[in-house]
Amino acid sequence: MSDELIAKVKQMIIDSLRIEGMSSDEIETDAPLFGEGLGLDSIDALQLVVAMEKEFGVVVPDAATGSKVFASVRSMADYISENKK
Amino acid sequence: MNCWMFPGQPLRHDQSFPAMPDGEGILSLCEAVAGFNPSAWRGDGQIESENIRLQIYGTAFSLCRSRFLKMSGQQPDLVLEHSMGIYAALAACGCISERDALEMTARVGRTLLKMSEKVRYALGCIIGLECAHVEAAAANNGVYVANYNTSSHFLLAGERSKIMSAVEECAASGAFSLSVFDCDAPLHTPLIAEVADELKNIFSDYIYIEPSVTLLDHIDHQPLTASKIPGFLLDELLLPVWWQRSYLAARNLGAKSFVEVGAGDALKKFNRWVDSENMP
């Protein structure tokens, strides 16, 4: 897993979710994104699905897959690496 | 132009009550008017359902936020409302008092609760499915689309068993996320006609003053006037909420900044989605 991809994923989260007052360095790579972590919800998840497809050409087909993919920044980067065309 | 947005009833009680200067004043009003303290989530036995608690909590939260913003020198140039957010929005615009907003919320909630005596109702939240599929699922299963929040976020309302079938159909059509919430009544559907006379009587008990700032309704997206308010309060419970249209109407009027005056940040997230589709 490249540090470059991790950084890109963090920036994508900040940009697509319009998170204000937070830099990409402040998002922990292995921290949960939903619930206790960034506190994201299903509306945010769909926004991330669209952003991932637009930026990396990777499709998250449903919420069940999404719950695994969006577990953390690292899991997102793993999914992108495995599925990028 | 600064726009304040008043959200509707929260679906869950997952946010602590804001600690704000003079917030105690609103909490005291809640106890006096509705017999319920949303901060402690404690009532004196007068509150019959979790939905009414959530409705009072939502209005009280918005009133507190509104007070706080005004005390810190902020004022809206334009006001939008979503569903039962209208009661706090009316108070923020000076049309009714904070006390009346809380009392109206509790009275409406208790009237809606009567519908649950015969039928069990629910809401279905559908995310990530095109409108045509959601409308088809609603029609096929005898329920209604109650909220058109964005092109990909909808709320269905109706009898619980039918909502479950409609949600299953949405799942089969490829919805990204689905959830079901119990509710006292199918808000924003024609089924509310069952208690329309009673609701009309509630709304006729209050005196409405002209809004001090432009308040757009969520049906026609036109400015509400004092004389239109009682009719709108009834109509809005019978008709769907079109949030995306409200937001775009505010944008067209020149609104640049949007402040969510209430619990949660669902409206901000809806706006973010609309912007992602409508702005370069």
Side-chain angles (χ1 to χ4, degrees), chain B residues 96-116:
Chain B
I96 58 174
S97 66
E98 291 171 329
R99 183 188 179 88
D100 284 352
L102 287 164
E103 185 184 86
M104 197 181 285
T105 303
R107 290 180 71 189
V108 168
R110 289 190 172 111
T111 302
L112 295 173
L113 178 63
K114 292 176 184 172
M115 292 186 72
S116 69

Side-chain angles (χ1 to χ4, degrees), chain B residues 1-246:
Chain B
M1 186 184 277
N2 184 27
C3 179
W4 286 11
M5 312 178 292
F6 288 81
Q9 175 200 326
L11 293 172
R12 297 185 199 92
H13 169 229
D14 55 4
Q15 211 173 2
S16 60
F17 208 79
M20 292 177 192
D22 208 25
E24 287 300 317
I26 296 293
L27 295 174
S28 299
L29 267 183
C30 283
E31 295 223 56
V33 170
F36 173 61
N37 183 329
S39 175
W41 212 249
R42 185 185 66 236
D44 62 1
Q46 293 180 34
I47 301 298
E48 304 87 343
S49 88
E50 184 72 356
N51 272 279
I52 301 177
R53 290 186 193 94
L54 286 166
Q55 287 154 6
I56 296 168
Y57 166 76
T59 297
F61 201 117
S62 288
L63 292 174
C64 266
R65 281 279 292 152
S66 175
R67 269 194 188 192
F68 176 73
L69 290 168
K70 287 179 178 176
M71 285 169 69
S72 52
Q74 298 183 55
Q75 289 288 340
D77 302 302
L78 182 66
V79 170
L80 295 180
E81 48 76 31
H82 185 289
S83 185
M84 294 183 87
I86 183 62
Y87 311 123
L90 288 174
C93 293
C95 303
I96 58 174
S97 66
E98 291 171 329
R99 183 188 179 88
D100 284 352
L102 287 164
E103 185 184 86
M104 197 181 285
T105 303
R107 290 180 71 189
V108 168
R110 289 190 172 111
T111 302
L112 295 173
L113 178 63
K114 292 176 184 172
M115 292 186 72
S116 69
E117 290 169 5
K118 298 175 196 164
V119 179
R120 196 173 172 199
Y121 291 105
L123 303 172
C125 182
I126 315 296
I127 298 177
L129 188 64
E130 287 180 8
C131 182
H133 289 297
V134 177
E135 288 181 328
N140 293 341
N141 293 281
V143 298
Y144 298 88
V145 184
N147 287 190
Y148 292 82
N149 291 321
T150 70
S151 64
S152 68
H153 191 289
F154 306 90
L155 212 57
L156 301 175
E159 290 184 27
R160 195 174 200 286
S161 58
K162 295 176 180 176
I163 286 288
M164 297 306 289
S165 307
V167 164
E168 278 178 28
E169 186 172 327
C170 288
S173 298
F176 179 76
S177 170
L178 305 139
S179 42
V180 174
F181 302 88
D182 288 327
C183 62
D184 294 337
L187 281 182
H188 307 299
T189 76
L191 300 172
I192 295 294
E194 184 182 318
V195 291
D197 287 344
E198 204 169 328
L199 290 167
K200 192 176 177 184
N201 288 338
I202 292 172
F203 300 133
S204 68
D205 281 345
Y206 297 89
I207 293 168
Y208 303 94
I209 297 167
E210 291 297 339
S212 57
V213 294
T214 303
L215 166 59
L216 293 188
D217 75 62
H218 68 241
I219 299 173
D220 301 320
H221 318 291
Q222 295 296 315
L224 275 172
T225 58
S227 62
K228 286 183 185 173
I229 291 170
F232 171 75
L233 289 174
L234 178 60
D235 291 344
E236 72 111 0
L237 295 173
L238 292 152
L239 296 168
V241 179
W242 299 87
W243 178 256
Q244 176 162 329
R245 294 180 187 175
S246 292

Side-chain angles (χ1 to χ4, degrees), chain A residues 16-18 20 39-47 49-50 54 60-64 66 70, chain B residues 127-129 152-153 174-178 247 251 265-266 268-273 275-276 279:
Chain A
S16 63
L17 301 183
R18 292 186 190 171
E20 293 168 356
L40 306 186
D41 61 18
S42 299
I43 304 175
D44 298 314
L46 188 62
Q47 198 89 52
V49 168
V50 173
K54 191 174 171 185
V60 178
D62 50 45
F70 300 127
Chain B
I127 298 177
L129 188 64
S152 68
H153 191 289
F176 179 76
S177 170
L178 305 139
Y247 174 62
R251 280 254 181 230
D265 51 8
K268 279 172 67 177
K269 291 180 180 184
F270 295 156
N271 296 353
R272 184 183 69 198
W273 181 269
D275 286 345
S276 73
M279 291 187 179

